[in-house]
Amino acid sequence: MTAATDHAGAIAAHGLPGAPSIPPAPVDAEAWTGLVRVLTVERLLPVASYAAAEGAFAVSDEQRAELVAGHERAMSLALVLERCLLDAVSHLEHAGIDVRALRGPAVARLEYPDPSWRAFGDVDLLVPGARFDDAGRVLAERGHRIIEPDEVVVDYLHEIGIPVMDGPSADLTVTLSPNFRSLNFQPLC
């Protein structure tokens, strides 16, 4: 484990019962660059920003400003994606297709103390397997594009200015039932 991953692991657990303490000293400039990269890729900047604001994560004023700016960018993207999610759900339901939000936006609203603790970079929907193609057509008519998981990660990393070092990580989508399929799309709202 590196110092960046040690810090990131403690930051990820911030606010959970029994969570490890975040190391008390501010991170030096060289380690900070690696830590911000890990926090960004793992979508932990919002949690790090909250931990710093609460005094649980020691940062310099410059580092705090960088966390706040990253948190603002993450939440700007989240708001756009949530608007697109509402648009997609509305159109799918209008077409008579049952749909449920998965992961990012749903987890942010249901599992975190505040939705702004959870960054996400895409929208995952669950639709009945028999209506999967219909759902894809409805979304395509709205200008959305069904995408492969690797594209999501690569697009996000490029968007925030992080080069893909070792190739993209897969955005794993799990089929919960043979009667339902998950649908990941690139919102164009």
Side-chain angles (χ1 to χ4, degrees), residues 43-65:
R43 301 185 199 276
L44 291 171
L45 281 173
V47 177
S49 181
Y50 278 106
E54 294 170 358
F57 179 27
V59 294
S60 68
D61 290 342
E62 184 177 298
Q63 291 168 339
R64 182 181 314 280

Side-chain angles (χ1 to χ4, degrees), residues 3 7 11 21-29 31-32 35 55-60 63:
H7 267 79
I11 290 166
S21 295
I22 300 169
V27 177
D28 66 46
W32 179 254
L35 177 58
F57 179 27
V59 294
S60 68
Q63 291 168 339

Side-chain angles (χ1 to χ4, degrees), residues 22-116:
I22 300 169
V27 177
D28 66 46
E30 184 178 326
W32 179 254
T33 301
L35 177 58
V36 169
R37 177 166 285 152
V38 170
L39 293 173
T40 302
V41 170
E42 298 300 329
R43 301 185 199 276
L44 291 171
L45 281 173
V47 177
S49 181
Y50 278 106
E54 294 170 358
F57 179 27
V59 294
S60 68
D61 290 342
E62 184 177 298
Q63 291 168 339
R64 182 181 314 280
E66 190 173 350
L67 286 176
V68 168
H71 189 183
E72 288 173 352
R73 283 191 309 275
M75 292 304 97
S76 294
L77 177 59
L79 289 172
V80 169
L81 291 170
E82 285 184 333
R83 186 187 72 199
C84 293
L85 169 64
L86 293 172
D87 177 73
V89 168
S90 174
H91 284 88
L92 290 168
E93 287 178 344
H94 182 74
I97 300 170
D98 289 330
V99 60
R100 301 291 181 273
L102 298 176
R103 299 173 29 164
V107 171
R109 300 237 170 243
L110 298 172
E111 300 297 331
Y112 282 80
D114 184 284
S116 65

Side-chain angles (χ1 to χ4, degrees), residues 160-186:
I160 60 174
I162 293 180
V164 177
M165 306 297 267
D166 299 319
S169 302
D171 181 9
L172 181 64
T173 304
V174 178
T175 301
L176 302 177
S177 160
N179 297 322
F180 292 89
R181 289 181 62 190
S182 58
L183 184 69
N184 184 283
F185 70 100
Q186 180 177 28

Side-chain angles (χ1 to χ4, degrees), residues 113-169:
D114 184 284
S116 65
W117 280 53
R118 175 66 155 88
F120 49 92
D122 62 5
V123 175
D124 297 283
L125 302 174
L126 183 68
V127 298
R131 301 295 309 272
F132 184 82
D133 291 337
D134 296 334
R137 278 191 291 282
V138 168
L139 293 175
E141 288 168 5
R142 296 290 306 151
H144 305 303
R145 177 172 71 93
I146 307 305
I147 54 177
E148 294 299 317
D150 286 352
E151 290 181 77
V152 174
V153 174
V154 172
D155 288 348
Y156 175 73
L157 293 176
H158 286 296
E159 177 181 319
I160 60 174
I162 293 180
V164 177
M165 306 297 267
D166 299 319
S169 302

